[in-house]
Amino acid sequence: MILVRLLDRLYGAVASLIFAVAILGVVSPLVILGPTLPIRRWFGRHGVRLSLLCIGVPLQVSGRDRVPATPCIAVANHASYIDGIVLTSALPANFTFVVQDGAAEWPYVGYVLRRMGVTFVNRNSAREGAAQTRALIRRVEEGASLAIFAEGTFEPDPGLLSFKKGAFLIAARAGVPVLPVGIRGTRRLYGGHSRLPHWSRVDIDILPPIPASPDALQLRDAARDAVLRVCGEPDVAARTAVLAEAEA
């Protein structure tokens, strides 16, 4: 057992260094220097896969054939800081990621995200958020596909949080399907309470799209149920609701 822990720590230290150098020192400069958005996204998608391979992490993606040829909203669970780049490598390059605006101010990383065509939204201002939502609806109506982490954030402890309504309002108003995506393995790899990575395979399940509907709440609940079935994490939202009801 002691040897296992020592090997785990050794892997974490070495993998952390290799992954940081690969992503920040190789992939990110290529993204910054890419002359067009499609080229920059190509570097980003394939660079992430190569970076994971450099630390011995297999990335398995199932259900790519389920991605609609028409615009849609992909929604995924969120368990780690690397979920964004992992999902980038799994979805087609035409997907635009929607991220909290605080990330735009991160040194270096924020600039890389902007070069990848990420759209930033302000969840702290109701007025600005509403305006941004309307702008996203127009973009989807014009043919864009979006990728959103519907929980809005993640916690160190395992569990699927409640889904925010924003992604599903966009889908309902734009009249496009919702594409649920389940991510497994990233919490152990680069999440939880640990500062170092732990080896884990990463699996991404692209699930059958949920047909367009004007009912945003129905879309939200159906998407969350689908993600919950494959993400391998407990239903924190349901547990919290039960405890609140018991205390009432």
Side-chain angles (χ1 to χ4, degrees), residues 112-187:
V112 175
L113 292 176
R114 290 194 293 273
R115 292 290 286 169
M116 284 288 287
V118 166
T119 293
F120 299 98
V121 295
N122 183 358
R123 292 194 176 101
N124 296 319
S125 168
R127 178 177 297 179
E128 188 173 346
Q132 291 169 336
T133 297
R134 290 193 294 271
L136 288 172
I137 292 170
R138 287 195 296 271
R139 288 182 62 178
V140 174
E141 290 174 336
E142 292 168 358
S145 289
L146 306 179
I148 300 174
F149 291 104
E151 294 162 281
T153 186
F154 67 91
E155 300 291 342
D157 296 317
L160 187 68
L161 306 175
S162 299
F163 276 11
K164 307 294 185 184
K165 195 166 62 172
F168 309 98
L169 282 173
I170 296 171
R173 301 277 177 82
V176 299
V178 171
L179 184 68
V181 181
I183 303 174
R184 295 189 308 279
T186 56
R187 187 183 296 277

Side-chain angles (χ1 to χ4, degrees), residues 22-34 37 40-41 43-45 48 85 88 99 103-120:
I23 291 294
L24 300 178
V26 179
V27 178
S28 294
L30 289 173
V31 169
I32 291 172
L33 295 173
L37 182 58
R40 294 194 290 271
R41 287 183 172 177
F43 281 141
R45 294 174 66 238
V48 168
I85 62 174
T88 296
V99 176
E105 305 305 320
W106 294 347
Y108 186 54
V109 173
Y111 182 59
V112 175
L113 292 176
R114 290 194 293 273
R115 292 290 286 169
M116 284 288 287
V118 166
T119 293
F120 299 98

Side-chain angles (χ1 to χ4, degrees), residues 23-86:
I23 291 294
L24 300 178
V26 179
V27 178
S28 294
L30 289 173
V31 169
I32 291 172
L33 295 173
T36 65
L37 182 58
I39 290 175
R40 294 194 290 271
R41 287 183 172 177
W42 189 92
F43 281 141
R45 294 174 66 238
H46 293 280
V48 168
R49 282 185 166 274
L50 289 174
S51 299
L52 289 173
L53 285 176
C54 286
I55 60 173
V57 172
L59 173 63
Q60 301 294 328
V61 181
S62 64
R64 277 202 182 95
D65 57 328
R66 293 169 173 160
V67 178
T70 54
C72 67
I73 310 292
V75 295
N77 58 303
H78 201 5
S80 164
Y81 284 110
I82 67 167
D83 287 337
I85 62 174
V86 166

